Amino acid sequence: MLLGAVGGPQYDTLDRPLRPERGLLRIRKELNLFANLRPALLYPELASASSLKPEVVSGLDLMIVRELTGDVYFGQPRGIEVRNGERVGFNTMLYSESEVRRVAHVAFGIAMKRGKKLCSVEKANVLECSELWKEVMIEVSKDYPEVELSHMYVDNAAMQLIRAPKQFDTIVTGNIFGDILSDAASMLSGSIGMLPSASLDEHNKGMYEPIHGSAPDIAGKNLANPLATILSVAMMYRYTFADLDTADRIENAVKKVIEQGLRTGDIWTEGTQKVSCSEMGDAVVKAM
Ligand code: IPM
Ligand code: MG
């Protein structure tokens, strides 16, 4: 198992090839981790930690399937060069139909096990890359007649996620749109410190990470919320080992400590008990 979170101001001045982000992207690419599962789930007890009104988010249970090894993140050509006497920066947004098809199958498969509603997010009104994405989604949908497929432009999806997030069950989208939408979705749940993720290859093997970054500002202070990391382990059991019992046990233990009122600083509110990272971890172990 790999657990990762990268970044910190000390790396921001490094040359691009030396930055930790580059390492993470290489791991994803070389292990072929093309399907990134990012759930956003709101525990009712944390509804007040969300910046949205409790009734808008309470009971939220959304899964974003983000394509992770293609798109403008990896498309060639890319670079910075001088054209007509000035520097230009450029990247290439690119998807092959096989790349779209394989992530589509993962997303439809997940939607089948959830609410059987899949929303494909793109920008087909402007981008050819998205036009192809949408066509392939429609083709693949023929294999999943029970799943209701809808399409949404990414700008509208960003708005709808904030306006009425519970309309979504499963979302499938490309790498860059998924990067942005999953950060927005994470905030619906009150804390980015709560959300796990899994990045899987075609055999469901992969890497499991909290969605949040490495939080360099609180490093070494025993303050971080460990729940996203713990829930990432649950995703490993659920999606890679197909050990649903263990996955349920871990997730229920997390639910229990939340119900007991234990909170790290990021999700603490008046009337709940503030605990450290290690205290939270110990409480989860006990609840199991
Ligand atoms: C993420 C992160 C990464 C990404 C960065 C650290 C390269 O934002 O996992 O969402 O953009 O994919
Ligand atoms: Mg991101």
Side-chain angles (χ1 to χ4, degrees):
M1 179 181 76
L2 286 162
L3 286 167
V6 300
Q10 70 271 39
Y11 306 117
D12 285 348
T13 52
L14 288 179
D15 277 353
R16 196 157 294 275
L18 296 176
R19 293 177 59 135
E21 286 87 346
R22 187 54 77 87
L24 177 60
L25 295 177
R26 232 182 106 184
I27 290 171
R28 290 173 178 172
K29 189 71 175 174
E30 290 187 6
L31 297 179
N32 205 16
L33 308 175
F34 65 88
N36 181 213
L37 279 39
R38 298 193 163 186
L41 199 126
L42 188 76
Y43 298 86
E45 294 82 4
L46 298 183
S48 62
S50 171
S51 50
L52 297 192
K53 295 193 193 85
E55 65 270 23
V56 174
V57 285
S58 184
L60 176 79
D61 180 0
L62 158 74
M63 175 69 88
I64 297 184
V65 181
R66 168 189 176 193
E67 201 290 331
L68 203 59
T69 54
D71 205 348
V72 69
Y73 271 60
F74 294 95
Q76 295 288 345
R78 63 188 293 167
I80 299 175
E81 63 184 35
V82 176
R83 292 183 194 170
N84 300 324
E86 65 167 349
R87 287 172 303 155
V88 294
F90 55 97
N91 293 83
T92 303
M93 183 176 264
L94 185 148
Y95 268 121
S96 66
E97 54 181 323
S98 59
E99 286 176 312
V100 181
R101 192 164 292 122
R102 63 184 184 174
V103 77
H105 280 292
V106 172
F108 276 101
I110 287 174
M112 278 297 285
K113 292 190 201 133
R114 294 174 43 93
K116 298 197 166 123
K117 269 172 57 186
L118 181 63
C119 180
S120 167
V121 172
E122 27 66 6
K123 187 77 183 171
N125 51 344
V126 178
L127 305 169
E128 285 80 359
C129 185
S130 284
E131 197 181 313
L132 178 77
W133 174 281
K134 184 173 175 183
E135 276 173 33
V136 175
M137 284 292 156
I138 293 170
E139 285 164 26
V140 174
S141 73
K142 311 246 154 57
D143 293 346
Y144 303 87
E146 286 175 57
V147 176
E148 179 197 317
L149 174 67
S150 61
H151 307 275
M152 200 178 273
Y153 299 141
V154 62
D155 49 350
N156 185 27
M159 193 253 278
Q160 296 297 337
L161 265 179
I162 309 304
R163 192 187 70 87
K166 284 190 275 183
Q167 70 185 283
F168 297 106
D169 176 63
T170 308
I171 289 178
V172 62
T173 189
N175 205 344
I176 186 90
F177 299 154
D179 178 43
I180 299 163
L181 292 181
S182 62
D183 261 31
S186 71
M187 216 35 230
L188 302 173
S189 75
S191 167
I192 196 164
M194 293 299 298
L195 295 177
S197 76
S199 306
L200 305 176
D201 69 8
E202 72 272 36
H203 309 295
N204 292 325
K205 295 221 177 56
M207 174 162 76
Y208 315 85
E209 321 165 58
I211 284 187
H212 60 73
S214 49
D217 51 322
I218 56 167
K221 297 185 182 155
N222 198 16
L223 288 176
N225 184 343
L227 296 178
T229 302
I230 293 170
L231 290 168
S232 299
V233 177
M235 289 191 83
M236 176 176 70
Y237 278 98
R238 183 175 303 283
Y239 292 100
T240 300
F241 302 145
D243 179 351
L244 308 188
D245 287 342
T246 307
D248 285 344
R249 266 180 70 203
I250 297 171
E251 286 168 5
N252 286 333
V254 168
K255 213 173 279 168
K256 203 155 145 196
V257 299
I258 296 289
E259 281 164 15
Q260 286 165 353
L262 270 55
R263 304 282 188 273
T264 42
D266 56 316
I267 49 174
W268 179 83
T269 47
E270 206 68 55
T272 60
Q273 185 191 343
K274 197 181 269 183
V275 295
S276 67
C277 177
S278 56
E279 285 166 337
M280 186 65 113
D282 291 344
V284 173
V285 172
K286 215 168 130 210
M288 281 185 74

